Amino acid sequence: MRSHRPLLALVALLAIPTLLTGCGALRPGRRGSAGGGGGGGGAVGGQCRGDFGTNNAAQKIEAFLIAAGDFSDAAISVQNDLLAACQRMGRALGVAEADLAGDGPEGVRAVCTTVNERFRAEMQAIRGASRVQVTIESRPPHCEVSMDAYASCAAECEARVDPGSIEIQCEGGEIRGRCNAQCTGSCAVDVQGECTGTCDGICDGRCSQTGPDGSCAGRCEGTCQGQCVARAQASCQGECRGGCSIEYEEPYCTGQVRPASVSARCRASCEARVEAHARCDPGETRMNVSGGIDPAMQPRVDAVQNAVREGLSAILALRTRVERLQRSGREIARLAPDLPNAAATVGIGAVACATAAAGAVADSMASVSVSVEVSVSISASASASASAR
């Protein structure tokens, strides 16, 4: 377990109305887009953009409403990105445009299922007509959340906590970031060329060790595309991993960010909020086909390779993104039904907003669940196609 204590300042309460204005889940018409349920979102609106007070209960409600809005917006964004990726993949495979039309979670499921079935069928046809070997190489997608943003959220949510005393922990991973002093761990530098350390990505050449996802995780005798990771030599011009002699600049955690001592509601709100704003590097995925390819099958081979390049890479990245959203959303969804009762101590306006937020979170979790299901299914098809002989 590693910890990081950033210098924090409480956000002025006058900023709260502006934040709530951008709370997408509580604006009219958004719930129908996120969850396919329609209605409900327009019952609130203006009153959810206000300041509910300065006491501890009010700040917790405000933090939860912001988190619910951010989470719902992220769910919509991932859903739309997944649909677009499946459509690009389907067009590369020659799926009819009529079969690529869809909207909402069920539309995503229908379109992506059709594309996945075509992908598997094309792979089987190629293998049946040719003696080929298929390998999938990847530079894995990578998502990160800001530890400083989490700490700021916790300080806003907990009115009784001194922001300078909030210690943020990194569980199940390590803290990484830019180190403007002595890096005491390893240094990772973006590279597209020779790497004298460990190639974390795709190796155009011979890789001494590969990961379960097909990425290179060892020395690359050739060109490395991704990050070159080597033992830090005091300073690091890239990403420092493992330790810095001073505070990291914009630190992030490769595991789960946890505050040392905040309430369950604030913890859920802040985790959902920072995961909704996670920065994700999509990585890269490509399929290599070698062996006795029947010339008549070459166009189909090209189509499948284009599908991997045009859509599968994005789907694999979205799987990482949406699985993180689902994990962070479980706790906020568990606490959401109790929010209206908690808001009753704040005021009737807070109750109305809390009720709408609870519904928005439930709709968004349903959307996220479909996105996870679809992305996992397509990832499994790609893995099976690459491992079959």
Side-chain angles (χ1 to χ4, degrees):
M1 180 183 295
R2 304 294 300 279
S3 65
H4 169 73
R5 181 173 294 170
L7 296 176
L8 299 172
L10 282 172
V11 173
L13 289 173
L14 291 176
I16 295 293
T18 301
L19 288 171
L20 288 174
T21 300
C23 191
L26 307 181
R27 288 197 296 268
R30 296 305 296 270
R31 284 185 63 199
S33 299
V44 291
Q47 69 268 35
C48 294
R49 302 182 180 123
D51 178 1
F52 293 109
T54 60
N55 61 43
N56 200 42
Q59 289 195 212
K60 283 182 170 60
I61 295 299
E62 291 166 0
F64 200 99
L65 292 175
I66 295 170
D70 288 354
F71 180 77
S72 295
D73 283 347
I76 294 170
S77 176
V78 170
Q79 174 184 285
N80 292 340
D81 288 347
L82 183 57
L83 176 62
C86 286
Q87 289 170 334
R88 292 196 302 272
M89 192 172 178
R91 290 185 182 105
L93 294 171
V95 176
E97 282 296 323
D99 293 328
L100 296 178
D103 186 31
E106 293 309 314
V108 171
R109 176 183 285 147
V111 170
C112 292
T113 297
T114 297
V115 170
N116 197 22
E117 290 173 352
R118 175 64 67 87
F119 176 72
R120 289 199 301 263
E122 288 300 293
M123 288 303 303
Q124 291 173 0
I126 291 169
R127 292 187 184 284
S130 310
R131 295 181 58 85
V132 299
Q133 181 178 13
V134 177
T135 59
I136 290 183
E137 296 180 326
S138 68
R139 177 167 58 85
H142 166 75
C143 292
E144 62 187 54
V145 296
S146 168
M147 297 183 71
D148 287 343
Y150 198 122
S152 295
C153 175
E156 293 170 24
C157 188
E158 292 285 3
R160 299 172 184 171
V161 175
D162 177 5
S165 70
I166 297 178
E167 185 171 334
I168 305 299
Q169 300 169 343
C170 177
E171 296 180 357
E174 65 180 359
I175 299 174
R176 298 178 179 178
R178 295 196 65 84
C179 177
N180 293 323
Q182 182 176 0
C183 178
T184 56
S186 58
C187 183
V189 180
D190 292 338
V191 66
Q192 189 168 359
E194 182 181 359
C195 173
T196 57
T198 298
C199 176
D200 186 0
I202 296 175
C203 175
D204 287 326
R206 180 181 178 185
C207 180
S208 63
Q209 182 178 346
T210 57
D213 56 5
S215 63
C216 181
R219 290 193 171 274
C220 174
E221 297 179 11
T223 300
C224 174
Q225 299 182 50
Q227 287 188 313
C228 184
V229 185
R231 184 74 181 173
Q233 301 293 328
S235 64
C236 174
Q237 299 304 310
E239 174 188 78
C240 180
R241 303 177 178 180
C244 180
S245 60
I246 61 174
E247 293 286 350
Y248 279 103
E249 181 180 330
E250 297 185 357
Y252 72 93
C253 171
T254 60
Q256 286 186 280
V257 181
R258 288 285 186 267
S261 57
V262 297
S263 67
R265 186 171 294 136
C266 287
R267 184 179 297 113
S269 297
C270 292
E271 183 171 351
R273 188 172 169 185
V274 297
E275 286 292 352
H277 293 283
R279 296 176 296 183
C280 292
D281 172 6
E284 180 184 358
T285 302
R286 66 187 184 189
M287 185 177 75
N288 298 321
V289 182
S290 60
I293 302 176
D294 187 327
M297 294 298 296
Q298 188 63 54
R300 298 176 80 168
V301 171
D302 293 341
V304 173
Q305 287 180 312
N306 287 338
V308 170
R309 182 174 58 253
E310 294 296 323
L312 182 59
S313 292
I315 292 170
L316 295 180
L318 288 168
R319 175 183 174 179
T320 298
R321 175 93 168 91
V322 78
E323 285 178 334
R324 291 176 65 105
L325 272 178
Q326 185 182 54
R327 184 186 65 200
S328 69
R330 287 193 183 106
E331 188 63 9
I332 196 173
R334 185 183 72 82
L335 295 173
D338 295 331
L339 193 64
N341 289 333
T345 62
V346 178
I348 189 170
V351 173
C353 291
T355 301
V361 168
D363 287 346
S364 298
M365 276 300 290
S367 171
V368 166
S369 295
V370 171
S371 295
V372 169
E373 172 195 323
V374 166
S375 59
V376 167
S377 178
I378 295 176
S379 299
S381 294
S383 178
S385 296
S387 60
R389 292 291 182 268

